[in-house]
Amino acid sequence: ANPGPAKNGPLYGVRVIDFSTVVAGPSSCRVLAELGAEVIKVEPLEGDFFRINFLKFEQPREFGTMFEVANAGKYSVTLDIKSGQGIAQLKQLLRDADVFVTNVRPGKLDKCGLGYDALSKEFPHLVYAELSAWGDSGPEVEYAGFDVGAFWAASGLNGLLHDEPSRLYSMLPGAGGDLITSQIMLFGIVAALSERLSSGCGSKVSSSLLHAGAWCAAPFVLEEMATSPQLGAKLEPLYSKEQPHLNPLLTLYKTSDGEHVAVMGVRPLSRLPSPTRGKGEVRSEPGLAALAKALNININPPLNPDEVYTLARDRIAQMGHADVVAALDSQSIIHRDCRYVQSLWASQEGPDGFTRHLADDVPKEDLIAFRANLQDNIDAPDLPKLLRIPYTFSCTDRQTIRKRAPFKGEDTDEILATSWFPRPQEWLVPRPGDERAMLPQARKPLEGCVVVELVDFNSPWVDLTVSATGRILLEHGARVIRIEYKATGGDPMRSSNRVLYDHYNSGKEIELVGDLSMEGNERVQELLASQASILLTNMPEVRLAHFALDSASLSRRCPRLAMVNVVPYRTTEGALARATHSCLGALYGATGLCTYFSGRPPSDIARPPPHMLELIHSLFVSAAVSVAWFHRKRTGEGQVVTVPRDAAGLWIGQLNHAILHRDGRVSQAVLVPSSEVYHIHPAPTYTAHRTKDGIWVQLLGSEITHHLDRTLRVFDMRMTGYLNLVWLALTKVMPNSKESNLIVRARPIFEYLNRSFGEGMAKLTFDEFVERAKKFDVWMSPIRMPVQLLGYEQAHCAGVFQTMAHGNSIRVTSPVRFNM
């Protein structure tokens, strides 16, 4: 029997048509379903093409595990949208729907009357959510796009993550950029629904992979704009010139025995957890001095951070893991080990599992934290272990999938006959003319929302997560009141990095208060009791409790307040429940996400650029805030929302996780050491290669069967290529019949194609390759550095930049736009 939507979810009563494919749009809709919405996936008669992705390696299944991950909890209807009858059937569903989600290339749906202009007139209540790769206008809007191209390569993030000598530009989590972008699309959808509670009117929400990637690269755009704006004027190889500076107290180090340790600053030792670092506190050594003392390195005369990092890196490379841990502990330096992703998932295999032995090396506290993020599977024997959504809401205990991903069209007859599930009138989202929604439509969707932003300035690192989230909320209509402390002269970033401080805090109301133990506490309590809708904080619960600002205290005094707390780990058990770990440790290292950027041990783990992980997490936090605001506005109830960093890291890698969990043997083929990646990447038409004039180009042929012939043609090797492939199949692949895993058996083919494509690219200049790629319809994107976004016309057309009022500077806008 169909379970129907989760009745006590915060989005109960919301009806969604998912008309999107692949990952980003469907993943937004999956979260909507798990939060109580009813989601109908509308597919063409042949089904969503993503159903068969990777399926040939996962027999026997009717659709791939990647499709399962992105579409759990939905219902499936197949329609012939090319016919008048199919469009009429879809419009029948849209009549009672609240949200329509699509990732069809901008303008394509206009031809069949399903574009925004047509549907907004016919269904003025409808929230129309459009997700694209490159934005909705500009010279590249018609280009094919995937996250490796638009989110990672074009934005400059890939150039920051990987250095040129490593050639690891193809080492990325499968659809990770899609899953990140899905969060800002989710924010936009729910924010638009919140506005509809007041006016009854629908609106258009749009976002793009390019814009979301640029948001996460913004600090480097701003830095170079201030110092070397001429660098962005043209596309040229800047890969070695523009590598980010590393903070030696917030980065990764590799020990002599191959372990990777994330260092996250010096723990302040205090008797009172005061955010102003006031009286009664015992301070440890200043940061760099503590690191130098721990590692016995000389930093006098004073060295710059890059020089200190180099000394620390070289020293740790000579020390064993146990010695490094002891040295860091001696100076109260916060640290944690990075985990190999397959070791975590091996814990979910049976005792005879292919990789089960790997779990033996994972400490108990890490396994507790990992398992806290797993869903209890519904009764389906071939269902991979799925992750819980990356936040928790106290208003509901039903934050799990209620049914597996649907088989193609399995609900068509029932839904076309009976339409949507019945729902009580009070849970309907108002429409134009509804007496519950008689206000004029707002200019911005979050008008009326008051956010108090309480940042943990006592943190050993500068964390932009809360500040960046506040910027997104402010940009879309919320009033944001930011608490800063007189004793420190406000946010320390005011003096350490004024460009970043202004970018993320201009326009907010700055409330300078005293110590939170005294008069400052009274002012904050007053704001929360009389004005605030949302308290947004990353301050640990133990310190909040000291000031009576913890969730239990606030729930009693301010029952209408929604408290959104950014925490390191979801688990409430074990040592990690009390840990103070940054995004580097909790989101990247603890979850094994680092593996997907780097390869199987003993690979060197890629060091994420400063603030990238925090800006990624800000999109998750923004989504959680929008859901909390919708629930509060509809019901008047406050609640406690937690947004764990580790949950976000696992969510970003979940497509890979599902494959690895279903068959641990795949990890031996997909997660290879970094030294082998460039040569045996299992998707040769989806890799990066360097042109003769030094530009790295990301190929975007995700389906090798569709793109192999085109790619062979672009490199003038069609005849010889096919002959060599036949020879390899006959002499290397077919004789290896004892190997049951097809990816492993096909390695000689992958090695040949990767090598040949690399050699072919090296013979062409970038302009020559672009010309040939257009001729043979080879999909591609150059790998930029962030500063080159400034000279990238498509980025401007996609709305990435906004020129400030004084005209001599720009800012990177939040990656979602509304047409109210």
Side-chain angles (χ1 to χ4, degrees):
N2 279 336
K7 288 190 176 181
N8 60 345
L11 300 183
Y12 173 66
V14 174
R15 292 168 169 169
V16 180
I17 293 291
D18 179 8
F19 197 65
S20 61
T21 59
V22 196
V23 179
S27 295
S28 298
C29 295
R30 175 192 156 185
V31 178
L32 293 171
E34 293 198 29
L35 291 174
E38 183 181 353
V39 180
I40 297 175
K41 183 175 183 66
V42 174
E43 306 180 58
L45 295 179
E46 64 273 18
D48 183 345
F49 73 90
F50 196 60
R51 286 181 174 274
I52 64 171
N53 197 63
F54 215 74
L55 184 58
K56 66 185 71 174
F57 304 114
E58 297 185 316
Q59 294 299 317
R61 275 185 65 95
E62 290 197 32
F63 52 80
T65 53
M66 290 187 180
F67 179 87
E68 185 88 66
V69 166
N71 292 282
K74 303 176 188 177
Y75 304 90
S76 173
V77 169
T78 52
L79 299 176
D80 181 7
I81 300 300
K82 296 179 181 179
S83 70
Q85 181 186 20
I87 290 178
Q89 290 170 325
L90 176 57
K91 287 187 175 181
Q92 183 65 31
L93 293 174
L94 287 173
R95 186 167 287 110
D96 292 320
D98 301 302
V99 181
F100 178 71
V101 180
T102 177
N103 67 340
V104 177
R105 291 188 202 176
K108 296 293 185 183
L109 289 181
D110 293 336
K111 299 176 182 178
C112 57
L114 296 176
Y116 172 68
D117 289 341
L119 290 185
S120 63
K121 293 175 182 176
E122 192 168 353
F123 309 112
H125 66 282
L126 191 66
V127 172
Y128 190 104
E130 183 179 73
L131 184 64
S132 64
W134 307 102
D136 55 13
S137 65
E140 298 177 13
V141 71
E142 292 289 331
Y143 286 11
F146 297 91
D147 72 317
V148 295
F151 183 92
W152 296 110
S155 70
L157 284 176
N158 203 347
L160 288 173
L161 274 161
H162 299 114
D163 57 18
E164 188 172 28
S166 73
R167 303 193 297 181
L168 292 181
Y169 294 116
S170 297
M171 285 298 295
L172 298 165
D178 288 300
L179 289 158
I180 294 166
T181 306
S182 74
Q183 294 298 307
I184 196 62
M185 177 54 75
L186 178 67
F187 161 81
I189 291 169
V190 181
L193 287 171
S194 298
E195 197 287 326
R196 194 178 130 187
L197 292 173
S198 298
S199 69
C201 298
S203 56
K204 182 181 180 182
V205 181
S206 57
S207 185
S208 68
L209 296 169
L210 172 62
H211 200 164
W215 170 260
C216 301
F220 303 95
V221 179
L222 299 171
E223 178 183 343
E224 295 300 339
M225 181 180 65
T227 58
S228 308
Q230 72 282 356
L231 288 176
K234 63 178 182 177
L235 186 61
E236 58 180 321
L238 298 176
Y239 308 107
S240 59
K241 298 177 183 176
E242 296 302 310
Q243 286 303 306
H245 299 291
L246 293 174
N247 178 353
L249 281 165
L250 189 62
T251 191
L252 302 174
Y253 295 97
K254 187 177 182 180
T255 65
S256 63
D257 42 359
E259 297 291 334
H260 284 83
V261 178
V263 168
M264 296 168 282
V266 180
R267 181 179 294 106
L269 305 176
S270 63
R271 291 191 290 268
L272 290 179
S274 168
T276 60
R277 296 173 174 171
K279 295 180 179 179
E281 188 173 61
V282 179
R283 293 297 309 281
S284 54
E285 291 276 355
L288 293 181
L291 183 65
K293 187 173 182 180
L295 300 177
N296 193 25
I297 57 178
N298 182 14
I299 61 172
N300 292 314
L303 304 177
N304 66 46
D306 284 346
E307 293 169 326
V308 175
Y309 165 73
T310 299
L311 289 174
R313 179 199 62 194
D314 294 345
R315 180 73 180 96
I316 289 176
Q318 301 170 358
M319 301 169 64
H321 175 261
D323 292 336
V324 170
V325 168
L328 297 176
D329 286 342
S330 72
Q331 296 300 310
S332 300
I333 295 173
I334 304 171
H335 62 87
R336 69 148 296 130
D337 295 343
C338 294
R339 295 287 163 232
Y340 170 39
V341 67
Q342 189 55 31
S343 298
L344 295 171
W345 283 98
S347 68
Q348 300 305 301
E349 293 187 3
D352 299 325
F354 183 74
T355 60
R356 183 65 181 84
H357 65 284
L358 295 174
D360 297 339
D361 297 329
V362 181
K364 180 181 178 181
E365 59 266 25
D366 279 352
L367 290 179
I368 290 173
F370 173 65
R371 289 166 183 158
N373 286 288
L374 300 180
Q375 298 225 23
D376 293 327
N377 270 9
I378 56 178
D379 188 18
D382 63 340
L383 189 68
K385 203 76 173 176
L386 297 180
L387 293 166
R388 296 171 64 186
I389 57 175
Y391 11 68
T392 59
F393 299 88
S394 66
C395 68
T396 177
D397 59 359
R398 300 293 291 274
Q399 298 167 75
T400 59
I401 58 167
R402 308 201 69 213
K403 63 188 296 291
R404 67 171 304 161
F407 293 94
K408 182 183 69 175
E410 68 177 11
D411 307 294
T412 302
D413 293 341
E414 180 180 356
I415 288 176
L416 292 183
T418 63
S419 192
W420 302 86
F421 285 107
R423 54 185 173 179
Q425 179 68 26
E426 63 268 23
W427 292 105
L428 289 168
V429 184
R431 299 178 173 221
D434 192 310
E435 62 181 11
R436 296 173 298 161
M438 301 302 291
L439 295 176
Q441 187 168 26
R443 292 185 305 107
K444 295 184 177 182
L446 296 183
E447 287 186 10
C449 180
V450 180
V451 179
V452 171
E453 186 181 290
L454 185 61
V455 177
D456 183 14
F457 297 127
N458 201 42
S459 170
W461 58 84
V462 175
D463 189 334
L464 289 181
T465 307
V466 169
S467 301
T469 302
R471 234 300 300 283
I472 293 172
L473 303 177
L474 176 74
E475 191 172 321
H476 298 296
R479 176 189 171 202
V480 179
I481 305 171
R482 179 177 171 86
I483 305 300
E484 297 186 9
Y485 310 112
K486 296 176 182 177
T488 58
D491 185 340
M493 189 179 279
R494 283 175 181 261
S495 56
S496 65
N497 195 327
R498 188 71 195 205
V499 171
L500 281 190
Y501 177 85
D502 288 344
H503 186 262
Y504 294 107
N505 296 298
S506 292
K508 298 176 183 176
E509 301 175 30
I510 307 300
E511 188 81 28
L512 280 173
V513 303
D515 193 300
L516 283 186
S517 297
M518 297 175 287
E519 73 279 2
N521 189 280
E522 295 179 8
R523 178 55 181 155
V524 173
Q525 297 281 5
E526 178 188 352
L527 286 171
L528 296 178
S530 62
Q531 300 186 45
S533 319
I534 308 282
L535 170 62
L536 175 61
T537 184
N538 63 344
M539 193 174 289
E541 183 81 355
V542 64
R543 196 142 69 245
L544 290 169
H546 182 79
F547 309 119
L549 294 171
D550 56 299
S551 55
S553 300
L554 290 178
S555 296
R556 290 192 300 270
R557 292 197 308 276
C558 309
R560 289 173 52 84
L561 179 71
M563 179 179 183
V564 180
N565 202 342
V566 179
V567 299
Y569 299 96
R570 188 194 295 269
T571 184
T572 57
E573 304 175 24
L576 291 181
R578 301 179 298 277
T580 305
H581 287 169
S582 68
C583 283
L584 177 69
L587 187 153
Y588 190 70
T591 62
L593 181 64
C594 54
T595 310
Y596 295 131
F597 291 99
S598 312
R600 190 170 73 228
S603 304
D604 287 340
I605 290 179
R607 291 162 176 80
H611 304 305
M612 182 194 81
L613 298 174
E614 298 148 30
L615 293 169
I616 287 174
H617 200 216
S618 73
L619 303 183
F620 288 76
V621 181
S622 299
V625 170
S626 70
V627 174
W629 170 238
F630 175 84
H631 178 76
R632 183 190 185 277
K633 192 172 180 181
R634 181 162 69 160
T635 67
E637 297 174 355
Q639 62 174 312
V640 178
V641 182
T642 57
V643 193
R645 296 182 179 114
D646 70 328
L650 288 167
W651 187 263
I652 294 166
Q654 66 175 311
L655 261 70
N656 296 82
H657 301 335
I659 296 172
L660 297 180
H661 176 242
R662 187 180 184 278
D663 184 357
R665 293 172 298 176
V666 175
S667 66
Q668 307 302 304
V670 177
L671 294 176
V672 298
S674 58
S675 59
E676 301 177 26
V677 169
Y678 185 73
H679 304 288
I680 61 172
H681 194 285
T685 56
Y686 205 53
T687 54
H689 301 284
R690 188 175 184 268
T691 65
K692 183 165 64 175
D693 50 351
I695 303 295
W696 281 84
V697 175
Q698 175 67 52
L699 299 177
L700 300 177
S702 60
E703 280 288 328
I704 190 170
T705 54
H706 295 161
H707 294 273
L708 177 59
D709 189 74
R710 306 176 196 178
T711 311
L712 290 171
R713 285 173 179 268
V714 88
F715 294 123
D716 279 334
M717 54 177 291
R718 187 168 185 254
M719 182 65 72
T720 58
Y722 280 125
L723 288 174
N724 282 319
L725 290 176
V726 170
W727 181 81
L728 287 169
L730 292 174
T731 62
K732 301 289 186 181
V733 179
M734 294 175 66
N736 190 17
S737 57
K738 292 183 180 180
E739 175 54 62
S740 60
N741 189 288
L742 184 57
I743 297 181
V744 177
R745 288 176 65 185
R747 274 191 177 186
I749 290 177
F750 298 148
E751 186 171 3
Y752 166 70
L753 290 174
N754 282 303
R755 185 182 70 251
S756 299
F757 292 166
E759 292 171 352
M761 188 77 78
K763 296 175 182 177
L764 300 171
T765 66
F766 177 72
D767 290 340
E768 289 169 343
F769 176 76
V770 169
E771 183 178 349
R772 294 185 63 80
K774 290 179 179 178
K775 178 179 178 180
F776 295 109
D777 193 25
V778 169
W779 302 350
M780 50 74 68
S781 173
I783 295 176
R784 290 179 166 83
M785 296 303 288
V787 66
Q788 292 170 324
L789 284 171
L790 296 168
Y792 182 26
E793 183 181 358
Q794 187 58 42
H796 290 271
C797 292
V800 169
F801 299 115
Q802 179 185 36
T803 302
M804 303 305 291
H806 42 73
N808 59 358
S809 66
I810 62 173
R811 70 175 181 180
V812 178
T813 62
S814 67
V816 63
R817 294 192 289 177
F818 296 87
N819 183 356
M820 309 296 292

